[in-house]
Amino acid sequence: QGGLFNNPSANNASNTNNSAKSFVEKLEESGDELKKAFYLIQDHALGYSNVEEALTKKTDNFKYNTQNILKANINKNVLEMYYALDPKELDPQVYNHKDVSHIKAHASEPTLYRITKADEVSVANKLVDELMKKFGIIQTVNMFLQMKRK
């Protein structure tokens, strides 16, 4: 049957070349649960002061003072979040993350956390909190962000 994030239309022939699609196209074609997971993480990250979003063709990046600190990608109905955290400093029993520092494209965000189930969003947001703590970024209350997805 597939995972929580599977989109029934993903089996169509037009959707087979997922890697050539932009981040926005992949998000638009994703199931509602994946979209909701992304928006919850996005809103959480943007709830910190001076964190800005910068969309590229392949990923959605979150920057602090022009530095990429968080990156989102969608790969085969899995939401992949890349954090600018040292994967060796995180407990794998708690976060179940992956070290991708050996991949040049992820050198500045070497910690990968894959979200495949709705209950993993809270862990992804805890990693956002750890990231912001590392950079000394203060959480702000942004009522617009909290209301726009309801």
Side-chain angles (χ1 to χ4, degrees), residues 37-92:
F38 171 72
Y39 292 137
L40 287 170
I41 297 166
Q42 175 192 46
D43 288 352
H44 189 68
L46 293 175
Y48 282 86
S49 73
N50 299 320
V51 173
E52 297 178 353
E53 194 171 15
L55 189 63
T56 67
K57 179 166 173 57
K58 292 185 177 185
T59 61
D60 194 4
N61 301 296
F62 298 84
K63 297 175 176 270
Y64 177 69
N65 292 337
T66 70
Q67 179 183 356
N68 275 356
I69 59 171
L70 180 63
K71 182 171 24 181
N73 184 39
I74 298 170
N75 185 11
K76 299 178 184 171
N77 291 314
V78 174
L79 179 58
E80 298 177 333
M81 300 300 300
Y82 296 86
Y83 299 82
L85 290 169
D86 185 347
K88 294 174 186 83
E89 294 180 4
L90 298 171
D91 184 351

Side-chain angles (χ1 to χ4, degrees), residues 9-17:
S9 66
N11 296 327
N12 295 346
S14 64
N15 290 332
T16 55
N17 192 3

